[in-house]
Amino acid sequence: MTNIRKLKSSIGINLLRLFILLTVFFLFLFLYVIFAKGGSVVSWEFLTESPKRFMTEGGIYPAIVGTFWLTVLSIGFALPLGIFTAIFMTSYAKPYWLVRIVRVAINTLAGVPSIIYGLFGLTVFVRLFNFGVSLLSGALTLGVLALPVIINASEEAIRSVPGDFRDASLALGATKRQTILRVILPTALPNILTGAIISIGRVAGETAPIMFTAATFYTRLLPKSAMDEVMALPYHIYALMTEGAHPAKQVPMAYGTAVVLLALVLLVSTVAIVIRYRIRKKRKW
Amino acid sequence: MDFKEKIFQSITYIASICTIVFLFGIILSLFFEGLPVLNFTSIKDFLFSKDWYPTMFPPKFGILSLIAGSFVVTLGALVISIPLGLGAAIYISEIANKRVKEILKPLIELLAGIPSVVYGLFGMAFLSPFLIKVFQVPIGLNAFNASIILGIMVVPIISSMSEDALSTVPNSLREASLALGANKWETIMKVVLPAAKSGVISSIILGFGRAIGETMVVLMVAGGAAQIPDSIFDPVRPMPATVAAEMGETAIGTPHFHALFGIAIILFIITFISILIIEFVVMRRKK
């Protein structure tokens, strides 16, 4: 009887080990395939030149520039909105029914499929506001998509500021606004930024929301204004894999682009992890 | 109250109301552009007809095959991601020592950070030829391929949320169980998991919502055939893939255009219901 119980226990625990090994194995296989097949494609020319001959030669510079601007503009739009919403949810939080509705809205926005953001951007930004298929439409669409992530991170950051800080500031005669702006926000800022950086990784890799709002298949030009169409790294990978007539030349370029995008996303999230680690070490409360 | 105080407070209100405006913007734009499809087909034909021939004359807008495609790849993904994700969560929270934990957690987070289009590339250029060779199937871009890739993508969602749930189970429960003579495995299965049940279920529903809404992977690797599959190795055309593939090729305002928004309404309703279920489960736990 005890032997059977022991046997069951060891089978169960080894099964868990097997599962986690499978997951880790897949991760390494995945990274190996992408970097092995794409690593040799990446060169200085690949990073700094425009695509040539219908994307069978040349580089991905316009896509790097496009992804940079899409990311910067979308975070620039979503970060202030997100921080102010988080301040409302943590510090004012009245009336209660509004808090409930905002909470449901945030949770729903976080779960909406990315393709639906694309349709929303197409209907509202591209057509209703008449921004056309442009950097601006794409950045606003991505900004709305990043908003719930930023709000949740900012809220968590503000809530982790000890209540004593707030009480001490208020007791010294500071107003609520002064307390938020000069005590709570500065204390929470590193954590808020960590959340913002994580959402950068998310925004930079999204494809579906920009398909109909910002991205173009092929251009040799860089965007001159926010009203221009742009190339973007994730969309470029998709286009290389599904359009065009020379798969033998396009697939290696897709791998190369994937290496650049992955390196970018991994770099950004590593920065976030390092910042988070350093904050936790430095924190004295 | 001071004038500046009022202004500041108002800004936070306006920002919060923006989130509600965006949500309504999404719902309104879907329904405004999607409901007109009912001028061209009945709601019954739209939902229950298998015939998706949007460019034929006359066009047919039945999305049953697309719904079937979505559910096949999503359930396939869950079959993979529930054991892997829950297994990872249990291992990290209950068995691994601190050092192993600190290695495993970021590795699994890494899976969550990989852009979906790169997963799609992997499925198309690597997994598809591999499946053709190993399973002797004619097409490598099929429901099976999409299920594997989606399954891996959902692992970090299930594992991180389940792990949170497991870690909130008080240690006294584990100690009581061990003190009564139960071994580690029995404690996990009969005490810890049941105590964390609502969080684990929420994580699975969240994973379901993520898998059914994921676009790039199914667009690139599911095969794209609008049919109800006979086997897991058949190509399918899930709902998000249909919208993404056809929106660029249809003119604005055509029946086909409205039909694609109609598909998006169905997709939105499915994900919204899953979000409501999670809210309900979480609410119940808090009581």
Side-chain angles (χ1 to χ4, degrees):
Chain A
M1 186 62 195
T2 29
N3 278 340
I4 294 176
R5 283 177 55 202
K6 257 191 189 161
L7 188 69
K8 261 192 183 169
S9 174
S10 85
I11 290 177
I13 289 174
N14 281 313
L15 205 60
L16 293 179
R17 286 210 174 91
L18 177 73
F19 285 158
I20 204 147
L21 280 178
L22 269 175
T23 308
V24 173
F25 169 76
F26 183 92
L27 175 67
F28 283 118
L29 174 72
F30 177 90
L31 292 177
Y32 173 76
V33 168
I34 300 289
F35 281 95
K37 300 206 175 185
S40 57
V41 181
V42 180
S43 63
W44 184 247
E45 287 73 35
F46 188 70
L47 296 175
T48 55
E49 282 183 8
S50 290
K52 287 173 197 156
R53 298 180 196 233
F54 298 101
M55 302 201 300
T56 57
E57 283 169 36
I60 54 168
Y61 184 60
I64 296 176
V65 173
T67 288
F68 173 79
W69 282 115
L70 279 171
T71 311
V72 168
L73 290 178
S74 62
I75 301 293
F77 164 66
L79 192 59
L81 261 183
I83 293 177
F84 277 118
T85 306
I87 291 173
F88 168 76
M89 296 296 276
T90 51
S91 304
Y92 292 101
K94 268 177 201 160
Y96 181 69
W97 59 265
L98 185 60
V99 178
R100 278 295 300 158
I101 296 177
V102 173
R103 174 77 58 218
V104 172
I106 296 168
N107 289 345
T108 311
L109 284 176
V112 168
S114 54
I115 182 72
I116 289 182
Y117 279 100
L119 297 185
F120 163 70
L122 173 67
T123 309
V124 174
F125 301 128
V126 176
R127 293 180 57 213
L128 184 66
F129 292 175
N130 226 349
F131 295 154
V133 175
S134 64
L135 176 56
L136 182 61
S137 297
L140 290 172
T141 310
L142 288 173
V144 179
L145 178 138
L147 193 56
V149 184
I150 292 180
I151 294 175
N152 284 331
S154 309
E155 242 194 279
E156 210 173 292
I158 293 175
R159 282 190 207 283
S160 74
V161 176
D164 295 355
F165 284 34
R166 180 181 311 228
D167 297 344
S169 167
L170 291 172
L172 285 169
T175 64
K176 198 162 184 174
R177 174 183 60 93
Q178 288 166 333
T179 305
I180 292 168
L181 284 179
R182 300 201 192 150
V183 178
I184 295 175
L185 271 191
T187 320
L189 199 62
N191 274 326
I192 293 177
L193 289 183
T194 314
I197 295 172
I198 289 170
S199 62
I200 287 179
R202 168 102 200 267
V203 162
E206 281 288 352
T207 320
I210 57 172
M211 285 174 99
F212 331 118
T213 57
T216 177
F217 179 39
Y218 178 71
T219 175
R220 303 191 54 177
L221 306 171
L222 299 180
K224 286 200 192 66
S225 82
M227 303 314 273
D228 284 347
E229 294 185 330
V230 288
M231 285 180 75
L233 291 171
Y235 187 73
H236 193 58
I237 296 172
Y238 169 69
L240 282 168
M241 291 305 290
T242 54
E243 320 242 336
H246 304 280
K249 284 182 176 171
Q250 288 173 210
V251 172
M253 298 199 61
Y255 272 116
T257 313
V259 166
V260 175
L261 180 60
L262 258 186
L264 194 94
V265 170
L266 295 185
L267 187 78
V268 160
S269 51
T270 312
V271 169
I273 290 169
V274 170
I275 294 181
R276 192 165 57 187
Y277 184 74
R278 289 178 68 176
I279 300 165
R280 284 196 186 149
K281 275 211 144 166
K282 254 181 25 194
R283 186 143 57 185
K284 292 194 181 69
W285 60 88
Chain B
M1 210 197 286
D2 189 278
F3 182 64
K4 278 185 185 166
E5 298 290 316
K6 270 261 183 264
I7 296 259
F8 184 74
Q9 188 174 356
S10 310
I11 294 175
T12 70
Y13 272 90
I14 293 166
S16 314
I17 289 166
C18 277
T19 59
I20 304 173
V21 171
F22 290 141
L23 180 60
F24 272 94
I26 288 173
I27 295 172
L28 283 179
S29 47
L30 290 187
F31 279 85
F32 181 74
E33 297 287 13
L35 285 182
V37 73
L38 297 178
N39 296 335
F40 311 103
T41 179
S42 70
I43 202 160
K44 189 172 145 257
D45 280 347
F46 185 65
L47 289 176
F48 299 114
S49 156
K50 292 186 291 189
D51 299 326
W52 176 255
Y53 300 117
T55 51
M56 281 215 336
F57 206 78
K60 289 191 172 154
F61 300 117
I63 65 167
L64 189 63
S65 320
L66 315 179
I67 298 176
S70 272
F71 275 92
V72 167
V73 295
T74 303
L75 294 180
L78 288 179
V79 167
I80 293 166
S81 58
I82 292 175
L84 291 188
L86 198 52
I90 298 173
Y91 190 83
I92 289 173
S93 144
E94 305 295 318
I95 295 166
N97 62 34
K98 204 170 170 235
R99 236 189 67 216
V100 177
K101 201 187 267 192
E102 274 176 6
I103 299 170
L104 284 178
K105 274 185 85 163
L107 281 182
I108 290 180
E109 265 181 53
L110 200 60
L111 277 176
I114 295 169
S116 54
V117 68
V118 183
Y119 278 110
L121 166 69
F122 179 83
M124 255 181 122
F126 180 82
L127 194 55
S128 165
F130 179 79
L131 292 179
I132 291 176
K133 218 189 270 172
V134 173
F135 292 94
Q136 304 284 327
V137 285
I139 313 165
L141 299 175
N142 54 34
F144 186 64
N145 190 334
S147 297
I148 294 177
I149 305 275
L150 281 180
I152 295 292
M153 288 180 73
V154 172
V155 165
I157 295 171
I158 294 188
S159 95
S160 73
M161 201 168 160
S162 293
E163 199 214 316
D164 282 347
L166 291 172
S167 65
T168 57
V169 174
N171 253 332
S172 53
L173 281 182
R174 293 186 187 88
E175 283 156 9
S177 164
L178 293 171
L180 286 169
N183 60 35
K184 189 122 204 174
W185 178 249
E186 291 161 343
T187 305
I188 292 171
M189 296 307 285
K190 295 187 181 155
V191 177
V192 182
L193 263 188
K197 198 173 64 187
S198 61
V200 170
I201 293 173
S202 298
S203 81
I204 293 171
I205 298 171
L206 198 69
F208 166 86
R210 179 81 165 77
I212 205 161
E214 169 51 43
T215 309
M216 294 318 290
V217 167
V218 292
L219 176 60
M220 292 169 82
V221 307
Q227 57 174 1
I228 293 179
D230 292 324
S231 106
I232 189 86
F233 291 107
D234 282 348
V236 292
R237 193 177 187 84
M239 291 183 278
T242 312
V243 178
E246 295 173 22
M247 186 53 78
E249 288 160 10
T250 181
I252 285 168
T254 57
H256 186 190
F257 177 85
H258 295 305
L260 294 177
F261 271 85
I263 296 174
I265 294 179
I266 304 299
L267 198 58
F268 179 81
I269 291 174
I270 294 173
T271 46
F272 189 63
I273 290 175
S274 63
I275 292 161
L276 286 184
I277 295 175
I278 295 174
E279 291 267 309
F280 179 72
V281 172
V282 172
M283 289 284 280
R284 218 175 44 171
R285 182 176 55 180
K286 276 184 182 157
K287 269 183 197 164

